[in-house]
Amino acid sequence: MTPVVLGIETSCDETSAAVLRGETGLLGHRILSQDVHELYGGVVPELASRAHLRVIDEVVDAALAEAGIALADVDVVAATAGPGLIGALLVGLTWAKCVAYALGKPLIAVHHMEGHLFAPSIEDPEAQPPFVALLVSGGHTLLLWVPEWGRYELLGETRDDAAGEAFDKVAKILGLGYPGGPVIQRVAAEGDPRAYRFPRAMLAANQRPGDADYYDFSFSGLKTAVLTRVRELEAAGRLPSEVPNLAASFQAAVVDVLVAKTMRAVEEKGCRRVLIGGGVAASRALRRGLAEALGEGGRLFHPTPRLATDNGAMIARAALFHYEAGHLAPLDVTARADLPFPGLAR
Ligand code: KG4
Ligand code: ZN
């Protein structure tokens, strides 16, 4: 019998629940984005926890109602156990633990980034390993080699800011609001990506596989370079009209680095299959850049925007894999802000 998984995600500022039958049967799905954080230009952890607590019952009920399934008919209960904001994580995981205990259902504790890895396979059954994976979110930038589900080789990661974090910080510098990615994409469409030559960090032609920085990323210098330009333009009274050019040039710098490092992995692994996940995978410029670099013989797997940013469906999908592999969580499992990626080798 195909299991029905209830997936809960509350690691940051989205409260989400999904009912997934098998790998691709997304029967019900609700994502509630918290807007209180807009006032502060970033996520306020305590406000996030309280908001999750307020709405979690309604969000799960709505997903179940859409699926036409009673809670008692769910086979597996899953929630994100980390990484993320600890208070926010505890709301979803504790909710799942209580339901699993009360109904006597198996519980699966999911790593948030592994959820992002599984997201494209909900909509595209061919989005299966082997592939090179680029996971780019507000908190993480990971380049992985994935020979099979559950076995992950870490090729590179960011040394400072995550890719999404760079979008969020630069949007704040440009006065565009939060979250940064979508609004930078919108404003960049009116600008020239070649207007400013921003740095492409850790991208030198003489780097070789095995060099420490061959696959790693760094985005904090780029953010500072944008800030310096913004101050100069402000002093000259030219900032407002240059915002589209700055946004487009910044976006191009991030995309160039992400594409170049991903293509290094493609070459080294001899595998022209790439999967992108995480909020920044919603970027049209990134998808276009990777598709062009991969060319005719390559395959690019990416989630639709709704499954790119945080959602319960990807948690349910990753949970299904672990359920079938027998990786059940004990009822005393706890959330961890720094949960290690399961199956990850360096
Ligand atoms: O995966 P996600 O929803 O949450 C985390 O796990 O962090 O990713 C959110 C991040 C934010 O930093 C947001 O600015 C970025 O994804 N993002 C984008 C786009 N849409 C969202 N970045 C670039 N281009 C986009 N279109
Ligand atoms: Zn995420």
Side-chain angles (χ1 to χ4, degrees), residues 57-115:
D57 286 323
E58 289 165 52
V59 168
V60 177
D61 285 349
L64 288 166
E66 186 189 356
I69 279 188
L71 191 53
D73 296 330
V74 164
D75 299 306
V76 180
V77 183
T80 307
L85 304 171
I86 190 65
L89 288 164
L90 279 168
V91 175
L93 185 63
T94 307
W95 197 100
K97 282 160 72 169
C98 293
V99 169
Y101 176 65
L103 300 181
K105 306 284 181 181
L107 174 70
I108 308 288
V110 176
H111 188 282
H112 181 79
M113 298 311 290
E114 195 181 23

Side-chain angles (χ1 to χ4, degrees), residues 209-334:
D211 290 356
D213 51 6
Y214 188 69
Y215 286 128
D216 275 353
F217 304 90
S218 166
F219 294 108
S220 78
L222 172 58
K223 168 195 65 194
T224 309
V226 176
L227 181 61
T228 306
R229 273 306 175 132
V230 163
R231 290 203 173 126
E232 287 167 10
L233 289 162
E234 217 163 20
R238 290 177 47 223
L239 181 58
S241 62
E242 282 304 301
V243 166
N245 283 338
L246 289 163
S249 303
F250 159 76
Q251 181 175 263
V254 176
V255 167
D256 273 2
V257 176
L258 294 175
V259 170
K261 303 249 168 179
T262 304
M263 292 311 292
R264 285 177 171 181
V266 164
E267 297 307 328
E268 189 187 344
K269 297 298 176 185
C271 175
R272 300 194 79 74
R273 295 163 59 84
V274 171
L275 177 141
I276 51 173
V280 184
S283 163
R284 283 195 299 271
L286 176 60
R287 293 206 307 257
R288 202 179 314 121
L290 279 170
E292 275 170 19
L294 278 165
E296 289 268 306
R299 284 295 304 269
L300 177 65
F301 303 106
H302 62 82
T304 52
R306 189 170 162 80
L307 293 186
T309 49
D310 292 350
N311 66 84
M314 69 185 197
I315 301 307
R317 176 65 187 85
L320 176 66
F321 165 74
H322 286 291
Y323 171 69
E324 288 177 337
H327 303 156
L328 307 193
L331 281 174
D332 64 354
V333 66
T334 192

